[in-house]
Amino acid sequence: MSTTLAPSIAAIRSDAPEEIPILDLGPYLAGAPGARAALGRELRHALEQVGFYFVVNHGVAQSLIDATFAAVERFHAQPEDAKRALLINRNNVGYLPFKGSTIRHSQLNQNNRPDLNEAFFVKRDLPADHPDVIADKMFRGTNKWPAALPGFRETVNAYCGAMEGLATSLLPLYAEALELSPSWFDSFFSDPMYTLRMSHYPKQDASGADEFGIAPHTDTSFMTLLAQNRIPGLSIRLPNGNWVDAPTLPGSILVNGGDMLRRWTNDRCLATPHRVINRSGEERYAIPFFFDCNYDAVMECVPTCCSDDMPPRYTRMTYPEYMTWYRDLTYGAARQDAAGR
């Protein structure tokens, strides 16, 4: 059901060979007997020992992935004024200008400079008359959309729908990995929150101290899904402390756990730090999809992740409580910019 990258690609050092697992979803998605249990065991290793894994035969059309990358490139090619008309708001929706964020919650780098990227964020495309929009619930507002890019909204929403479907299909594997019933996560993800970040990393010509495309950090998500592009730049800090450049595996999607999963599982699952430095000499684009639980779901320690000897380490929390903290730490400067316009 799974394989690993060849040592020539994935080995970090000769004395510490660690690899990013590759999970073949084909048999599982086809309903093959025993596939869920087998992949659940492989996923358990990935979540507890590495924090990242690739999925192949995942069912997301490559044509849709390619169209989404093209749409992101079109967006960032717009004039600055057109992008700034959509500045990021309190719901973490909209345009984040170049150097608009600084990683302040990382324990790996304490004096980071602003990140050398710009990004455009969307969430589930709620209509203006949705009850949560009318109630002005945090992170449940309407998206911002560029007026001069025909087809952009449709392509992005189609991609979000495909990635939501893939992430949802993985939930029984997470339950299997954590020795839970296959449907254990269903009630927590009946209307999941998600965010698509459409990032542009211009050519980075230097290696200044504490200067990154995006500084070392862990994601906030339950699960992040990253479609592969042709330009390298992502590096992962594995549990032994070594950094490895993530290989490009054509046709795959790279998945990692974030702090929501880590906290929910009482630190059983890893939230592995990673960073981006674009020294490729080319423009780099990325489309990470951050997948989270329902807005009002109350997350308490997963029952198989605590015991009398290992009691829960974290208080119960909801999505808006956690994301408010993260947004204020990371995007405060950009929102102040937006407020001043």
Side-chain angles (χ1 to χ4, degrees):
M1 294 298 172
S2 73
T3 184
T4 53
L5 297 175
S8 61
I9 298 176
I12 306 167
R13 307 189 307 228
S14 60
D15 63 334
E18 295 194 36
E19 299 173 335
I20 302 173
I22 305 173
L23 274 61
D24 183 352
L25 299 184
Y28 165 68
L29 295 178
R36 187 186 71 228
L39 277 182
R41 290 190 294 270
E42 298 294 341
L43 179 59
R44 183 181 306 136
H45 167 77
L47 295 177
E48 295 180 357
Q49 303 299 322
V50 184
F52 276 76
Y53 62 96
F54 289 99
V55 293
V56 296
N57 295 320
H58 45 70
V60 179
Q62 187 62 46
S63 59
L64 177 58
I65 294 172
D66 294 342
T68 305
F69 273 113
V72 173
E73 187 169 352
R74 287 172 61 211
F75 176 87
H76 287 295
Q78 295 181 107
E80 187 70 14
D81 286 349
K83 292 183 286 188
R84 283 187 169 270
L86 305 172
L87 276 176
I88 195 167
N89 60 22
R90 75 187 190 106
N91 293 320
N92 196 27
V93 163
Y95 174 63
L96 180 71
F98 185 67
K99 294 188 177 182
S101 67
T102 302
I103 299 295
R104 298 187 177 94
H105 63 284
S106 173
Q107 299 302 309
L108 300 176
N109 286 72
Q110 298 298 316
N111 299 296
N112 294 325
R113 300 178 184 180
D115 289 332
L116 303 179
N117 75 77
E118 57 179 338
F120 185 63
F121 296 82
V122 301
K123 296 185 181 292
R124 189 180 299 279
D125 201 15
L126 300 177
D129 61 354
H130 190 283
D132 289 353
V133 176
I134 294 173
D136 197 28
K137 286 188 176 182
M138 186 75 74
F139 308 117
R140 293 286 283 176
T142 56
N143 284 322
K144 298 185 174 189
W145 296 105
L149 297 180
F152 179 85
R153 182 177 187 173
E154 292 77 10
T155 298
V156 168
N157 280 334
Y159 183 74
C160 286
M163 297 305 281
E164 179 185 11
L166 172 58
T168 301
S169 76
L170 295 176
L171 292 174
L173 297 179
Y174 278 67
E176 187 80 37
L178 295 169
E179 298 101 13
L180 300 164
S181 66
S183 61
W184 194 87
F185 284 109
D186 288 0
S187 63
F188 294 95
F189 290 88
S190 57
D191 184 24
M193 296 292 296
Y194 63 71
T195 304
L196 178 65
R197 176 182 177 131
M198 293 164 271
S199 303
H200 170 220
Y201 298 91
K203 303 172 187 177
Q204 189 172 339
D205 58 5
S207 57
D210 300 320
E211 190 169 52
F212 304 89
I214 188 166
H217 68 286
T218 54
D219 291 342
T220 62
S221 58
F222 179 87
M223 179 193 313
T224 303
L225 301 94
L226 180 68
Q228 297 294 281
N229 60 40
R230 64 183 182 84
I231 304 297
L234 176 66
S235 300
I236 299 165
R237 187 179 186 268
L238 293 179
N240 65 3
N242 293 313
W243 286 93
V244 56
D245 293 337
T248 298
L249 186 63
S252 71
I253 292 175
L254 184 61
V255 187
N256 66 277
D259 285 324
M260 180 176 286
L261 175 65
R262 178 184 60 80
R263 289 172 59 104
W264 205 349
T265 60
N266 213 28
D267 293 338
R268 178 176 175 180
C269 295
L270 298 175
T272 298
H274 47 286
R275 67 191 181 194
V276 173
I277 303 175
N278 181 21
R279 296 198 183 99
S280 67
E282 301 183 57
E283 307 296 310
R284 184 179 188 272
Y285 300 89
I287 47 175
F289 180 86
F290 305 97
F291 182 73
D292 293 306
C293 62
N294 298 345
Y295 187 87
D296 293 319
V298 178
M299 290 167 283
E300 298 180 274
C301 184
V302 171
T304 56
C305 298
C306 58
S307 65
D308 291 341
D309 295 330
M310 187 177 290
R313 299 173 180 176
Y314 303 102
T315 58
R316 61 209 303 263
M317 63 176 180
T318 63
Y319 176 88
E321 291 168 344
Y322 186 51
M323 288 306 299
T324 297
W325 167 82
Y326 174 78
R327 181 210 59 194
D328 290 346
L329 277 179
T330 304
Y331 301 114
R335 291 190 297 105
Q336 291 169 11
D337 185 16
R341 287 178 62 85

